Amino acid sequence: MAKKKKKAQRKSNKLWCVDRRQKVLLRDELATRGEGSVYRCNLQHYLAKIYREPEKQDFKKLRYMISHPPRDPTKSSRGHISIAWPEDLLMAHNGKPVGFIMPFIRKGLPLVKIYNPSHRKKCAPGFNWKYLHVTAYNVALIVEALHEIGYVVGDIQSQNMLVNPQAMVSIIDTDSFQVRIESGKIYRCPVGASGFTPPELLGKNLREHDRNKYHDCFGMAVLIHQLLMGYHPYSGKWAGHDQPLGIDDFIRMGDWVGDTKGKLQRGRWCVPFKIVDSRLQVLFYRAFTEGHDDPRRRPEPKEWREALKEVIDELRPCEHVKNHFYSGDKPCCWACEWQSSMSSGKPNLDHALKSRAEVGAIALPKPQGESQAKKTKAAPAPAREAAQSKTAKPPSPTKPWRERLAPLLAPFRYLKKLLPTRWYTWALTIALIG
């Protein structure tokens, strides 16, 4: 019986690519999801996804996706795969398809490890605010490329986005996308994540509803807000008299932290919404306030991409901390002011949130001179610099008698290597006395 089980297991691990006619051997399992599991395989730079119940899968959808891939916006220019698209079907020994192969995205962290400040300090400490803007730009770039050819992501969420150290983004789990084939049949996306589903789809059976690009625009706006702000736009402190609600309840009500007329307020230790550029504030308002009643008012990926490109080009480096950046329409670095105010227990960004027009014509604070630097406190150092300053020892000052004796001791440096320690000490003593 044991031998029969081993033979059956070997047969199940041996698969074939339909178009490439290559043998595929499954290796260790990397992830398990609702429909199937993802494995390493013998094909370099590829992973294999095997469905648990392949007889229930309609492989016409995958065949259409393989023959109609979207334009990868970074593959030819940067050599980076932004869309982990199915490339070939996998066939079992009985001749029936059981899964597919897709590109292996290496050195990628889930988006939640990047936008969450506590996770980011551990996993990607060098990711600054400029990198977060670039990541948001790349997210919009990917969704735009998918919408160009008519695909709808559907289940757009942070777990389906991977980010590498260069802020390049890759979207995975692409076989769950909504696909319309040539015959007009629509293969719907049956899943949706809490906190990313638009209000018009909440409480509905997603297997029975077609999705459109404006549904993706809502989830994409939530991702961009998480990247730039560090928290969900529909999470905060509830100022109403009734019991606090969940994120999906706030989405259904259209109450988010950036809406000054709502009852949902940001947490005490969450940065204010106005730290972002005013152009991005307008897009967020359209996505969450105007788009609540009219989904067509939500900004499309192209609008986000163009606005983020302008904002990234205008981001200003901090005068005090090398890894700090702030928006070009703000007078000073909000991160420095936020850190200094957090030490006092009363986080405040009154000065940093003012526009440049309110403060004056000077866009950046002038560098302080030596006399002013002695009077004012230095800006807080980054975590890495602070750790180094604690461990590093200050250089010891040179003593005056060593400077005077240095010319006399120079001839004895060579003798120290040749003579025993006792003889060297005697010779040195006689020379000094003489």
Side-chain angles (χ1 to χ4, degrees), residues 221-422:
V222 172
L223 285 177
I224 295 175
H225 188 282
Q226 288 180 321
L227 283 168
L228 302 185
M229 306 302 301
Y231 56 89
H232 198 282
Y234 292 91
S235 65
K237 183 173 61 176
W238 178 242
H241 298 290
D242 49 352
Q243 294 182 355
L245 305 173
I247 290 180
D248 286 342
D249 296 321
F250 291 129
I251 292 176
R252 188 179 288 106
M253 295 166 53
D255 205 345
W256 63 293
V257 291
D259 189 1
T260 55
K261 298 180 181 179
K263 295 182 180 179
L264 184 64
Q265 302 175 359
R266 65 178 177 89
R268 181 183 180 186
W269 303 106
C270 295
V271 293
F273 171 67
K274 291 185 177 181
I275 65 170
V276 299
D277 191 272
S278 57
R279 287 163 288 190
L280 301 181
Q281 294 181 32
V282 173
L283 295 182
F284 282 124
Y285 183 82
R286 285 176 51 194
F288 302 135
T289 301
E290 297 179 0
H292 181 266
D293 298 325
D294 184 7
R296 295 181 178 273
R297 289 290 301 156
R298 294 169 187 157
E300 297 189 23
K302 184 179 179 181
E303 298 180 71
W304 282 108
R305 177 178 58 81
E306 293 176 349
L308 284 165
K309 181 64 170 62
E310 295 177 358
V311 173
I312 291 170
D313 292 339
E314 297 176 8
L315 285 177
R316 297 169 176 267
C318 178
E319 290 285 329
H320 305 287
V321 181
K322 184 179 179 179
N323 208 34
H324 283 183
F325 288 85
Y326 61 96
S327 299
D329 63 343
K330 301 297 184 291
C332 62
C333 178
W334 65 268
C336 288
E337 188 171 345
W338 182 257
Q339 289 181 356
S340 60
S341 60
M342 284 181 65
S343 61
S344 63
K346 297 180 180 179
N348 184 18
L349 290 177
D350 291 341
H351 180 64
L353 294 182
K354 294 180 180 180
S355 63
R356 291 168 58 188
E358 293 175 331
V359 177
I362 300 177
L364 285 172
K366 294 182 180 181
Q368 296 178 345
E370 296 181 358
S371 59
Q372 294 179 352
K374 295 179 181 179
K375 297 179 181 180
T376 58
K377 295 182 179 179
R384 186 175 295 180
E385 295 180 4
Q388 292 177 355
S389 63
K390 292 180 180 179
T391 57
K393 296 181 179 180
S396 57
T398 306
K399 295 182 180 180
W401 64 271
R402 286 186 178 179
E403 295 180 356
R404 292 195 298 267
L405 292 179
L408 298 175
L409 297 177
F412 293 93
R413 291 178 183 175
Y414 182 72
L415 294 176
K416 186 177 181 180
K417 299 179 181 180
L418 301 176
L419 300 177
T421 305
R422 185 180 300 175

Side-chain angles (χ1 to χ4, degrees), residues 52-81:
R52 284 198 184 86
E53 299 177 342
E55 63 277 1
K56 294 184 180 181
Q57 296 292 328
D58 194 341
F59 285 93
K60 291 181 181 179
K61 172 186 176 180
L62 282 173
R63 289 191 178 96
Y64 180 85
M65 294 177 67
I66 292 171
S67 59
H68 297 81
R71 175 186 59 86
D72 195 311
T74 59
K75 187 174 182 179
S76 59
S77 59
R78 300 289 184 89
H80 172 79
I81 298 175

Side-chain angles (χ1 to χ4, degrees), residues 149-205:
I149 199 171
Y151 292 114
V152 178
V153 178
D155 186 25
I156 185 170
Q157 56 166 311
S158 57
Q159 294 295 333
N160 292 341
M161 299 280 185
L162 301 179
V163 187
N164 71 3
Q166 289 75 37
M168 304 295 291
V169 183
S170 301
I171 188 168
I172 60 175
D173 199 17
T174 56
D175 59 313
S176 66
F177 289 1
Q178 177 178 287
V179 178
R180 182 192 293 270
I181 63 176
E182 295 173 346
S183 62
K185 183 178 179 180
I186 298 178
Y187 293 91
R188 299 187 179 100
C189 176
V191 291
S194 175
F196 297 90
T197 304
E200 60 269 21
L201 292 180
L202 288 175
K204 295 183 179 180
N205 186 359

Side-chain angles (χ1 to χ4, degrees), residues 12-75:
S12 63
N13 288 341
K14 292 181 180 179
L15 305 172
W16 293 88
C17 290
V18 174
D19 296 332
R20 303 186 181 195
R21 299 295 181 182
Q22 287 180 298
K23 185 186 294 185
V24 177
L25 300 177
L26 299 183
R27 294 176 180 172
D28 51 324
E29 183 178 349
L30 295 181
T32 301
R33 300 215 173 187
E35 295 181 343
S37 301
V38 179
Y39 298 87
R40 292 179 185 267
C41 63
N42 61 318
L43 298 182
Q44 194 176 13
H45 308 305
Y46 285 94
L47 297 176
K49 182 171 183 178
I50 308 300
Y51 293 107
R52 284 198 184 86
E53 299 177 342
E55 63 277 1
K56 294 184 180 181
Q57 296 292 328
D58 194 341
F59 285 93
K60 291 181 181 179
K61 172 186 176 180
L62 282 173
R63 289 191 178 96
Y64 180 85
M65 294 177 67
I66 292 171
S67 59
H68 297 81
R71 175 186 59 86
D72 195 311
T74 59
K75 187 174 182 179

